Amino acid sequence: MQQHEQAEDFLEDFATMSGFGATPGGGVERQAGSAADHETRAWFAGWLERAGFEVRHDAVSNQFGLLELVPGAPYVLVGSHLDSQPLAGRFDGAYGVLAAAHAAREVARRVREGSLQPACNLAVVNWFNEEGSRFTPSMMGSSVLTGKLPLETALAATDRAGVTVAQAIAEPGDALDLTPPPVAAYAEIHIEQGRGLEESGTTIGLVDRTWAASKYRIVVHGEQSHTGSTVMADRRDALYGAALVIVAARELTDELPEGMLHSSVSELELAPNSPVTVARLVEINLDLRSPDEAVLERANALLEERLAAIEERARVTIERRLTHQWGLLAYQPEGVELARSAAAALGLTHAPTMTVAGHDSTNMKDVAPTVMLFVPSIEGISHNEGERTSDEDSVAGVALLTEVTARLVAGELGSAAAFTPGG
């Protein structure tokens, strides 16, 4: 297939795929295991089968399109995720899954025609619940495959309505019987979700490191009382304490070097959540990220000081639990170089970049050689219906992922020391 034909075909398929879970604002909503997610996965399964892939699902409902090219050899995995945040954009995750499918189909064609000698087999993967909006934790499917999260823990996770992951993934009736194959390498392409590439006029980001991060579950304990009659001096308002925490987290970004700390507070839950009752308990997630580990360390220390002061000021007790933490984690340099060489061969502008967000590749890089690529996000908008990437950048990314996948299948990063899931 000529490159322009592949581009037109990709854009047509992307438009079709974006109709599943479409929202009035031009985005999508298909949270993991929802009806819209199942519909998208069913459409994608049909696409893979028509392209000659065997579609299978593992025990946590990671969706694979398998193509055996070299019997007994390990697999190159390429993919991302189809699930979304609520009222999300069309590109986050889904672009990478469809790009992977088109890249893999083209690589398979080259193998059939004899222009590419394979050393590995090939699989497209749609990871289950990367977003972590309906079920936590995020990056669930790749965490299970890499052994970072027990399968039983993942299957027992519940949404706010009490539905478990096990119940959600059983609904479409897919056979969840695949034992994931040995993995020689992994590749993923994603929108940047920031403005760096767009502002620098660069088409491709070669991801070489992650930002460091600390994530907390914060529980503010107060005392339930009447919103009208309780004397102000007697109140132990958990929501007031939580509000001070939210402000403190944002103000940390002003106290540290500009642009060096991102802070967020999300998923607020309170009890009793009554209009005439002072809150006795509030739970929030608090997220700190930085491209400098020393800055993150200072932010964590400042946060501890602020929480102690808020406890005294609001007359509350604050419980802080670290749920996730990582430093600056590097992708394999040889994978970055492979991608750089492929981008140069295609004449695409490219530059090393860091990822602020987590991706399934951040799990996979710990067990197998991994290539992570970015394409620009218009105005850096993401997790929003206004999320956009130009057609030109989208198809350039597909072309590059195709070349990267071809090189991986040819064994350019080696295929001997494969990772065996569960092994």
Side-chain angles (χ1 to χ4, degrees):
M1 181 181 292
Q2 297 296 316
Q3 188 168 324
H4 72 275
E5 292 179 76
Q6 184 187 30
E8 291 176 2
D9 197 25
F10 171 81
L11 293 173
E12 182 178 335
D13 284 339
F14 188 77
T16 300
M17 183 178 66
S18 298
F20 295 99
T23 62
V28 299
E29 178 160 349
R30 42 186 189 232
Q31 297 187 65
S34 66
D37 185 33
H38 292 321
E39 290 169 2
T40 315
R41 289 161 63 95
W43 173 84
F44 187 58
W47 191 102
L48 290 169
E49 289 169 347
R50 290 190 298 274
F53 292 82
E54 178 191 7
V55 177
R56 301 280 299 279
H57 303 81
D58 68 7
V60 75
S61 201
N62 291 319
Q63 184 179 35
F64 293 85
L66 302 161
L67 188 64
E68 187 178 66
L69 303 173
V70 184
Y75 279 72
V76 169
L77 300 188
V78 56
S80 191
H81 62 95
L82 290 176
D83 71 305
S84 82
Q85 292 286 333
L87 288 180
R90 297 178 289 132
F91 290 81
D92 179 2
Y95 164 72
V97 175
L98 190 62
H102 277 255
R105 184 178 66 178
E106 170 60 17
V107 168
R109 184 195 66 79
R110 295 180 191 181
V111 171
R112 288 195 307 271
E113 292 188 352
S115 60
L116 177 67
Q117 183 62 42
C120 303
N121 295 310
L122 181 57
V124 178
V125 59
N126 164 31
W127 300 106
F128 178 74
N129 189 40
E130 192 274 351
E131 292 292 355
S133 57
R134 181 183 179 191
F135 302 106
T136 59
S138 60
M139 300 182 290
M140 182 178 281
S142 59
S143 294
V144 170
L145 183 135
T146 56
K148 296 182 177 185
L149 179 69
L151 172 64
E152 296 75 17
T153 302
L155 294 178
T158 60
D159 65 10
R160 287 183 173 84
V163 177
T164 66
V165 166
Q167 291 169 326
I169 64 179
E171 187 173 326
D174 296 323
L176 306 176
D177 58 359
L178 173 69
T179 299
V183 180
Y186 176 70
E188 180 172 349
I189 195 166
H190 205 279
I191 58 170
E192 183 189 18
Q193 302 176 285
R195 299 200 308 253
L197 294 176
E198 183 183 49
E199 290 180 348
S200 65
T202 305
T203 302
I204 299 295
L206 309 173
V207 180
D208 60 0
R209 289 171 297 161
T210 69
W211 275 34
S214 297
K215 297 187 175 187
Y216 297 96
R217 188 68 173 175
I218 304 286
V219 183
V220 183
H221 299 272
E223 184 176 272
Q224 188 168 318
S225 61
H226 196 291
T227 56
S229 61
T230 306
V231 175
M232 295 303 295
D234 292 342
R235 299 189 186 202
R236 299 179 57 230
D237 187 343
L239 186 55
Y240 172 52
L244 294 175
V245 173
I246 293 168
V247 172
R250 179 58 180 258
E251 289 179 343
L252 287 178
T253 65
D254 297 325
E255 296 180 44
L256 294 163
E258 184 177 358
M260 295 299 288
L261 179 71
H262 288 185
S263 73
S264 301
V265 171
S266 61
E267 198 180 9
L268 184 147
E269 300 177 8
L270 69 155
N273 202 19
S274 165
V276 291
T277 304
V278 170
R280 67 174 181 270
L281 182 144
V282 175
E283 293 190 45
I284 57 177
N285 285 322
L286 193 153
D287 185 329
L288 302 175
R289 306 191 194 206
S290 177
D292 186 311
E293 291 179 351
V295 170
L296 182 62
E297 183 178 1
R298 177 60 179 156
N300 282 310
L302 288 172
L303 176 65
E304 187 171 359
E305 294 176 9
R306 301 296 186 272
L307 294 184
I310 291 168
E311 284 183 312
E312 184 174 350
R313 178 178 175 182
R315 302 178 65 244
V316 297
T317 301
I318 299 176
E319 174 189 344
R320 180 184 63 165
R321 178 170 61 88
L322 185 67
T323 57
H324 297 87
Q325 184 174 43
W326 60 84
L328 300 181
L329 302 176
Y331 286 75
Q332 292 86 355
E334 58 270 29
V336 178
E337 172 55 27
L338 182 149
R340 185 209 62 77
S341 175
L346 292 175
L348 299 174
T349 57
H350 54 277
T353 189
M354 299 176 71
T355 178
V356 184
H359 302 285
D360 292 302
S361 70
T362 60
N363 281 332
M364 291 302 296
K365 68 175 174 44
D366 294 336
V367 299
T370 293
V371 176
M372 182 70 188
L373 306 168
F374 281 163
V375 291
S377 295
I378 296 174
E379 297 182 359
I381 296 171
S382 187
H383 286 189
N384 180 295
E385 292 172 295
E387 184 180 86
R388 297 287 185 273
T389 291
S390 71
D391 288 353
E392 181 181 6
D393 288 335
S394 294
V395 299
V398 175
L400 177 58
L401 186 63
T402 301
E403 295 309 310
V404 166
T405 303
R407 295 183 183 208
L408 293 176
V409 166
E412 288 196 21
L413 289 188
S415 59
F419 164 70
T420 301

